[in-house]
Amino acid sequence: MKKLSAALLLLSTTVYAQPFDNALTEEAIKKRLAPVGSVYLAGAQAAAPAAPTGPRSGEQVYQVSCAACHGTGALGAPKTADDWAVRLTKGRDLLVEHAINGFNAMPPRGTCMDCSDEEIAAAVDFMTKK
C-alpha cells in the first residue's frame, strides 16, 4: 500500500507540476482567472481554427502530438508494427482520414490543431513505418 501511495503522489505531482506564478500582483491574478476557452451559441461566429505553422516532418508531428498515446498504446492506440499492420489492410487513405477527423478515442488531428493535412499524413506514414 505504501508503494501505491508513493506512486500516486509522484504521478500527481508530475502531471500537475506546471510553472505557476502565484504572485499577488494584479496582472498575475488576472492571468490566473482568465478563461481557458470560449463558448459559442448556435448561429454565433466561432473563432478561426489555428493556421498551420509550417512544414513539419512526420517525425516532428509524432514527437509533439502523437507519441503520448501511440508511443505507450494508451486507450488502445496502435503502437507496434503488428498493431499498424492490421489497420493498414484497410488502406493508408482511411488511416489518414481517421487521423484528420478523429476515430474512437483519438481526437481530430490527434490534438495537433495547427497541423496541415499533409503533416498529419506524414505523421501517419512515420508511425506505420517505425
Side-chain angles (χ1 to χ4, degrees), residues 47-59:
T53 58
R56 290 171 280 196
S57 70
E59 183 176 7

Side-chain angles (χ1 to χ4, degrees), residues 15-103:
V15 170
Y16 296 107
Q18 300 289 328
F20 184 72
D21 179 8
N22 65 353
L24 295 177
T25 65
E26 185 173 343
E27 185 62 33
I29 293 169
K30 282 182 183 178
K31 188 175 179 182
R32 287 194 302 270
L33 294 175
V36 294
S38 300
V39 176
Y40 297 97
L41 300 175
Q45 181 66 31
T53 58
R56 290 171 280 196
S57 70
E59 183 176 7
Q60 289 171 319
V61 173
Y62 171 81
Q63 292 297 334
V64 172
S65 299
C66 310
C69 295
H70 290 282
T72 63
L75 299 171
K79 174 181 164 184
T80 66
D82 290 338
D83 296 338
W84 284 111
V86 173
R87 289 161 174 85
L88 281 170
T89 61
K90 297 178 183 178
R92 175 194 176 269
D93 291 342
L94 183 63
L95 285 178
V96 172
E97 180 183 323
H98 286 167
I100 291 170
N101 298 315
F103 186 73

Side-chain angles (χ1 to χ4, degrees), residues 102-124:
F103 186 73
N104 291 335
M106 189 180 100
R109 302 189 171 278
T111 72
C112 186
M113 301 315 287
D114 65 344
C115 284
S116 68
D117 290 354
E118 293 77 21
E119 290 171 325
I120 297 293
V124 168

